[in-house]
Amino acid sequence: MGWFENYFEFEGHGTDMKTEILAGVTTFMTMAYILFVNPSILSDAMGKEAFNSLVAVTALAAGFATILMGLYAKKPFALAPGMGLNAYFAYSVVLGMGYDWRVALAAVFVEGLIFIVLSVTKVRSAIIHAIPLSQKYAVGAGIGLFLTFIGLNDVGLLTAVVNDAGVLQFTGLNASALTRGDILLFFFGLFLTMVLIALRVKGSLLISIITTSIIGWVTGVAPWPEHLFSTPDISYTFMQMDLQGLLNVGAIGVVFAFFMVDFFDTLGTVTGLSAKAGFLTRDGKVPDAEKVLLTDAIGTTVGAVLGTSTVTTYIESAAGIEEGGRTGMTALVTGLLFLGIGLFIAPLAGAIPAFATAPALVIVGYYMLSAIKEVNFADHTEAIPAFLVLITIPYTYSIADGIGIGFISYTILKLFSGRRDEIHPLMYTLSIIFLAYFAYLGGAF
């Protein structure tokens, strides 16, 4: 134990092995729902036959990236395939835009490589300063609404379809479904989750998913799992990126959307977690931020090779920090639990019904929507573009479209309001790129 204590500098952080292990277990409990939810979302795009591989891949990607965070960056932050980006991957890029899932994996891979380059160069700081805060918050909030809609739609509570053009058509509440057993169990899971969160119970989402599933199995609403454990097999998704499929103009927008959301989501999450853990310097900087961002970027790249959507730092890491976790030992424990448990539970994960995971999507959406409170609604040049992002993402089923509308409207409003000095030069370039992107989608060229 002495090596771990010295390597992670327990004494300097005022912690000990018992505290770090407990913190690691706590973080895993709050994040373990991703082992069920991520395969459920991605298999909608990759095919149900991919589900078992996706469970193992989710565990592998989360385990690898989190262990790397612990050993290299020495921070108590855990990583896994990101919520929101997995939905963008499945419902926008594959089912909406019509790209093959292998092309979408290639986009994630390229995005990860770009992230790696920017994490080790000064370009990273230029991009950080170029994008207005209101746009960063709005994108996160818009993704939250996106996830909530997906949860409600997946369980059959809403009547909605995505037409051949990839545009969402919402037709209202599916009133005829309100008395179905699966819908009643969805509401049970949703209210159980809300109560557990209000009581600050650790692992609320996971407890709700498991409890609701068991009730569904017992009552016959969903079939019991035939097995609980199996030998992991990732052959279906491993090294399936189709890089050649990215060679068209439309794919540029896909890569850009993945990068933008991953980059700024990671930056915001890491800053928030560092503040909670007391890591921030007096001028608000995160010590060893380059190592944290590089770990995130490597995790995304490796995740694409394994066969999953973008890997990112999870705000749920705050649960472990709350328990006293202050070093990479916390992340190491969390990562080992992902590998030790997640790799072998594909049959159990496959038996988890949609009505049990849908409440988790709704609540994660709620968490992400809260970012909109940071937008200054007294300033119309900030608030209106943020509002347009907020509504565009869920109603078009596209994070990329939301980012593009936000950037273009922000630049135009500032420019014609006589406040051009508030526009970073890079925003002009990004707005022009998105105008060309929308023109391409509209068939202008």
Side-chain angles (χ1 to χ4, degrees), residues 3 21 135 144 149 179 189 225 233 252 312 323 372 381 400 415 420 436:
W3 183 87
I21 291 176
Q135 288 293 292
F149 187 89
T179 56
D233 178 11
I252 295 175
T312 189
E323 290 293 329
I372 200 67
T381 64
L415 189 61
R420 66 181 64 192

Side-chain angles (χ1 to χ4, degrees), residues 140-434:
I143 294 173
L145 286 180
F146 186 29
L147 284 175
T148 299
F149 187 89
I150 289 169
L152 297 175
N153 191 35
D154 281 355
V155 80
L157 189 60
L158 301 180
T159 304
V161 296
V162 179
N163 65 20
D164 293 338
V167 178
L168 183 67
Q169 292 181 325
F170 173 66
T171 57
L173 178 68
N174 185 7
S176 63
L178 290 176
T179 56
R180 287 192 340 225
D182 58 335
I183 297 296
L184 295 176
L185 283 172
F186 161 76
F187 281 116
F188 168 81
L190 181 61
F191 285 107
L192 175 61
T193 308
M194 292 190 296
V195 170
L196 292 174
I197 288 173
L199 295 175
R200 302 186 183 278
V201 175
K202 300 293 190 298
S204 299
L205 296 178
L206 179 63
I207 292 171
S208 173
I209 289 173
I210 297 299
T211 303
T212 307
S213 297
I214 291 174
I215 294 175
W217 296 334
V218 171
T219 57
V221 177
W224 283 90
E226 296 181 4
H227 306 285
L228 295 181
F229 305 103
S230 66
T231 303
D233 178 11
I234 64 171
S235 59
Y236 190 90
T237 60
F238 182 65
M239 287 292 290
Q240 293 297 311
M241 302 97 65
D242 179 8
L243 293 169
Q244 188 173 357
L246 285 179
L247 300 179
N248 67 73
V249 178
I252 295 175
V254 174
V255 174
F256 186 71
F258 275 127
F259 167 75
M260 287 295 297
V261 178
D262 184 23
F263 190 81
F264 290 110
D265 180 66
T266 297
L267 189 70
T269 300
V270 168
T271 301
L273 291 173
S274 297
K276 188 174 185 64
F279 295 153
L280 293 184
T281 61
R282 290 184 178 180
D283 55 356
K285 294 182 179 180
V286 180
D288 296 323
E290 288 75 15
K291 290 184 177 181
V292 175
L293 292 172
L294 183 58
T295 299
D296 197 290
I298 293 172
T300 289
T301 307
V302 172
V305 172
L306 292 172
T308 187
S309 53
T310 305
V311 173
T312 189
T313 307
Y314 262 59
I315 195 65
E316 282 86 347
S317 304
I321 293 173
E322 185 71 26
E323 290 293 329
R326 290 296 182 274
T327 76
M329 187 67 201
T330 294
L332 180 60
V333 171
T334 303
L336 290 174
L337 286 172
F338 267 115
L339 296 181
I341 296 175
L343 280 175
F344 307 98
I345 61 168
L348 174 60
I352 300 294
F355 60 75
T357 55
L361 291 175
V362 174
I363 295 301
V364 171
Y366 154 74
Y367 281 137
M368 297 182 72
L369 180 63
S370 64
I372 200 67
K373 70 179 185 294
E374 303 296 337
V375 176
N376 179 15
F377 279 88
D379 184 344
H380 299 308
T381 64
E382 298 285 340
I384 292 177
F387 169 71
L388 292 177
V389 173
L390 186 67
I391 62 172
T392 300
I393 290 177
Y395 287 129
T396 63
Y397 248 47
S398 174
I399 295 173
D401 290 354
I403 293 174
I405 292 295
F407 283 8
I408 294 168
S409 60
Y410 180 90
T411 303
I412 290 175
L413 269 179
K414 291 289 186 182
L415 189 61
F416 285 92
S417 298
R419 297 167 62 176
R420 66 181 64 192
D421 57 321
E422 297 178 24
I423 308 174
H424 192 284
L426 186 56
M427 282 295 289
Y428 291 110
T429 303
L430 294 174
S431 296
I432 292 171
I433 289 173
F434 269 110

Side-chain angles (χ1 to χ4, degrees), residues 16-32:
D16 54 47
M17 181 62 74
K18 181 180 177 181
T19 300
E20 294 293 304
I21 291 176
L22 176 60
V25 173
T26 300
T27 296
F28 175 76
M29 285 291 293
T30 63
M31 286 179 60

